[in-house]
Amino acid sequence: MIVAMQEQATEEQIDFVIDAMVDAGVGVHRTTGASQTILAGVGPTASLDLSKFELLPGVLRVHRISSPYKLAGRSFRPEGTVVEFAHGVKVGSERVVVMAGPCSIEDREQIFETAARVKAAGGSFLRGGAFKPRSSPYAFQGLGIPGLEMMRDAADAHGLLVLSEVMEISQIEPMLPFVDCFQVGARNMQNFNLLRELGQVRKPVLLKRGIAATIEELLLSSEYILSGGNYDVILCERGIRTYETATRNTMDISAIPVVKKLSHLPIVADPSHGTGRRDMIAPMARAAVAAGADAVLVEVHPNADKAASDAAQTLYLDQFDKLMGELRIIATAVGRTL
Ligand code: PEP
Ligand code: MN
C-alpha cells in the first residue's frame, strides 16, 4: 500500500499514520520529498480495509498496489488455467469453445433440435436454464429438474456438454448428475453462501459478472469458490448496466483483456445478455473472440421469436451457423482455432 500525505501534514500526523500502519502489521518505508511524504507499506494489506487510513488527519490518498485476491490473481498460475471437460473440451486453451442453447429449456423437441444444430455447427456445450432468475415472479420460472433431464438426454445424444444455472445451495446436489458445469448468474455473483458451497463441489463453475459489478468484485467472488479448493472456475463477461439505454446492457469487451492480465482464469463472452438484441450478438461475439475470449456463450432457439425467455436476444439456428463461420475466421486471425 502507498499512503501519500498532504503537503502540509505535520510530523505528528505522519508519526500517527506510521503507528497505525505498524499496528495493522504493515512494515513502513518512509520517503520524504521536497514537499510531500510518502509511506510505502509492505505486509498483509490484502485483508486490510484501507479506507480507514484515508480518514486519518494529514492523509491525502491511499492506494492499494497488491491485489486483494490471492488465488484468482495471475501470479498464482502465470501460465493460465485450462478447465478440462469430457470429450476433450478445454476452456482456456488455444481452441475457442462455443456454448449455445436456449435461455430456458422448454420441451424435448426444442432442446433436441437445438442440440443437433449446436453440435453440427461446431459447438461444445449445450446451455439452457432450468432454474431461471426472472425479474418478474409472474414470468416463466423454468422446468426445474425435469428440464435438466431433457437437456442431459439431448446433450448425450449429440456428444455435447451441459451448462445450466444454479440459483441456490439446495439445487446443487440434485443438479450434479445432469450438468458438466454450473452457471452462477449475474444476480448471484455476490451470493457468497452459494459461492462457498460451490467451492466444495468438484465440478467446474462458470461465474457471470454481476449487473453492476467491477472486475475486482468479480475476481473477489471467484476467490470464494477457489478458496474452497475448486480451481475449475471460468469467468463470464455478460454486460453491465450503464446509463446507455440503446442496448439492454453495455457489453464490456475491455473486461476480456483486463481479466486476462489480472487473472489466470479463462474468460467467456456472453453477447446475448451483453446486448439484449439479436442484431448485436454477432458483432459483439466477433469482437470478443478478437479481444481474446476463451469461449463464447450465446442464446439460440429453433423458433427464437417465440422463446419463453430472452426471445429478443436469441439467435435463430441459421444465424448461429453463419456466426460460427465468422468466428472461425476471426479465431484463426488471432492465432487460435474454433
Ligand atoms: C442466462 O444465462 O440466461 C441468464 C439469466 O444470465 P445472466 O445471469 O447473465 O442474466
Ligand atoms: Mn437468458
Side-chain angles (χ1 to χ4, degrees):
M1 65 186 283
I2 298 286
V3 180
M5 300 299 296
Q6 290 167 356
E7 287 191 16
Q8 66 276 23
T10 63
E11 236 359 83
E12 203 183 357
Q13 288 173 332
I14 294 169
D15 285 343
F16 190 83
V17 175
I18 291 173
D19 286 348
M21 290 169 75
V22 171
D23 281 351
V26 175
V28 183
H29 302 263
R30 175 177 173 167
T31 307
T32 308
S35 59
Q36 193 186 20
T37 292
I38 302 290
L39 305 173
V42 184
T45 53
S47 55
L48 286 185
D49 174 10
L50 298 190
S51 60
K52 68 180 182 191
F53 294 98
E54 210 140 52
L55 296 174
L56 296 178
V59 171
L60 178 67
R61 215 164 283 143
V62 179
H63 300 280
R64 190 189 288 285
I65 46 175
S66 58
S67 63
Y69 34 84
K70 297 189 182 77
L71 302 174
R74 180 47 84 169
S75 55
F76 183 72
R77 263 194 198 161
E79 71 282 11
T81 286
V82 177
V83 181
E84 298 194 18
F85 293 91
H87 309 305
V89 175
K90 296 184 177 127
V91 178
S93 71
E94 189 190 305
R95 181 165 169 254
V96 177
V97 170
V98 174
M99 307 170 166
C103 180
S104 305
I105 307 155
E106 296 167 16
D107 53 57
R108 282 190 89 79
E109 199 186 333
Q110 171 232 29
I111 201 71
F112 271 79
E113 185 177 351
T114 307
R117 294 287 298 271
V118 168
K119 181 67 185 185
S124 300
F125 275 83
L126 184 61
R127 68 139 284 153
F131 299 104
K132 296 302 303 175
R134 305 305 304 279
S135 299
S136 164
Y138 308 117
F140 177 58
Q141 303 287 309
L143 296 181
I145 295 294
L148 284 178
E149 285 170 358
M150 287 175 207
M151 183 156 68
R152 182 76 263 172
D153 289 349
D156 288 345
H158 295 282
L160 291 168
L161 299 159
V162 167
L163 169 71
S164 197
E165 177 162 354
V166 57
M167 285 177 62
E168 55 165 280
I169 293 172
S170 68
Q171 293 162 355
I172 296 176
E173 201 65 35
M175 285 179 74
L176 273 172
F178 303 109
V179 300
D180 296 289
C181 186
F182 286 104
Q183 173 175 314
V184 175
R187 291 154 192 83
N188 270 318
M189 187 203 84
Q190 288 188 316
N191 182 340
F192 302 120
N193 292 331
L194 176 63
L195 301 179
R196 264 194 210 291
E197 211 55 37
L198 289 167
Q200 303 305 317
V201 169
R202 293 296 168 262
K203 199 159 258 198
V205 177
L206 183 149
L207 176 64
K208 287 192 162 197
R209 182 178 181 182
I211 288 170
T214 63
I215 294 169
E216 181 170 297
E217 286 164 338
L218 171 65
L219 293 173
L220 281 167
S221 285
S222 76
E223 195 82 12
Y224 275 86
I225 306 170
L226 297 167
S227 59
N230 185 354
Y231 292 119
D232 288 334
V233 177
I234 301 167
L235 304 173
C236 178
E237 165 58 39
R238 49 77 73 204
I240 47 174
R241 184 161 290 179
T242 67
Y243 51 79
E244 182 54 69
T245 55
T247 46
R248 179 182 179 190
N249 291 297
T250 298
M251 180 81 190
D252 183 6
I253 297 286
S254 65
I256 296 165
V258 171
V259 164
K260 283 272 158 222
K261 184 167 183 180
L262 297 179
S263 178
H264 54 86
L265 296 173
I267 174 117
V268 176
D270 171 357
S272 292
H273 295 86
T275 62
R277 295 177 51 117
R278 187 174 302 134
D279 56 346
M280 303 283 166
I281 294 172
M284 287 296 102
R286 296 192 301 251
V289 172
D294 296 302
V296 176
L297 172 60
V298 281
E299 290 185 332
V300 302
H301 190 295
N303 204 348
D305 269 321
K306 302 240 160 47
S309 56
D310 285 349
Q313 62 183 43
T314 297
L315 291 182
Y316 281 96
L317 296 168
D318 289 344
Q319 292 176 310
F320 176 63
D321 285 341
K322 180 164 180 281
L323 174 61
M324 288 296 278
E326 293 168 355
L327 295 185
R328 215 159 267 134
I329 294 166
I330 292 172
T332 309
V334 294
R336 301 183 79 159
T337 55
L338 186 141

